[in-house]
């Protein structure tokens, strides 16, 4: 079974910090670019960040640039999203997804998706 499992979501106050994890089982992430996506209530899913298979290339949505950091530890088969200075507009279900043999994360082309973890930023 090829699975991605997100964890680390929860309720935080504005300005707070969370670290999300995306752990793979049944396959190795070594050859996959990994993306984080999010979907807020009533809105379409959007890309948040992407990291290449070796971690040499990263990108971020303008809305999170400077606040979020994506990283990976291939030895642990895990990708992380460090989220600092959280804002209410960051509230969403966050998903990780994997795409084989790509340097970037085209949403329509992602091969595997996790089930998501809910991040709520509210006072």
């Amino acid at each position: 079974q090829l699975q991605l499992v997100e964890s680390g979501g929860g309720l935080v106050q504005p300005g707070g910090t969370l670290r999300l994890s995306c752990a793979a089982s049944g396959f190795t992430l070594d050859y996959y670019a990994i993306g984080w996506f999010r979907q807020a209530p009533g809105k379409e899913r959007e890309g948040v960040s992407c990291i290449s298979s070796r971690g040499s290339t990263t990108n971020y949505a303008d809305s999170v640039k400077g606040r979020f950091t994506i990283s990976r530890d291939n030895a642990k088969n895990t990708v992380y999203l460090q989220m600092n200075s959280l804002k209410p507009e960051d509230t969403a279900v966050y998903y990780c997804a994997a795409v084989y043999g790509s340097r970037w994360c085209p949403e329509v082309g992602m091969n595997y998706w996790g089930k998501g973890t809910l991040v709520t930023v509210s006072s």
Side-chain angles (χ1 to χ4, degrees):
Q1 291 257 322
L2 307 180
Q3 292 184 309
L4 295 172
V5 179
E6 304 95 336
S7 62
L11 174 64
V12 297
Q13 293 186 333
T17 296
L18 285 175
R19 188 180 72 160
L20 305 183
S21 298
C22 174
S25 63
F27 68 106
T28 177
L29 292 179
D30 289 2
Y31 299 100
Y32 292 81
I34 306 297
W36 285 97
F37 301 82
R38 68 186 182 186
Q39 187 167 25
K43 296 186 177 181
E44 295 184 357
R45 188 171 59 198
E46 63 177 343
V48 176
S49 185
C50 180
I51 187 167
S52 61
S53 60
R54 294 291 189 267
S56 59
T57 303
T58 60
N59 59 54
Y60 302 89
D62 288 342
S63 59
V64 307
K65 194 170 297 182
R67 299 187 296 119
F68 291 10
T69 302
I70 191 170
S71 62
R72 67 191 299 157
D73 186 341
N74 285 351
K76 296 181 178 179
N77 226 19
T78 301
V79 174
Y80 306 95
L81 185 68
Q82 180 70 39
M83 305 187 297
N84 300 328
S85 302
L86 284 162
K87 303 175 180 179
E89 50 262 45
D90 295 318
T91 296
V93 176
Y94 283 71
Y95 302 88
C96 68
V99 58
Y100 182 82
S102 179
R103 299 176 184 175
W104 61 307
C105 302
E107 182 175 347
V108 69
M110 306 305 288
N111 300 124
Y112 304 104
W113 289 83
K115 294 181 179 180
T117 185
L118 177 63
V119 172
T120 302
V121 185
S122 177
S123 60

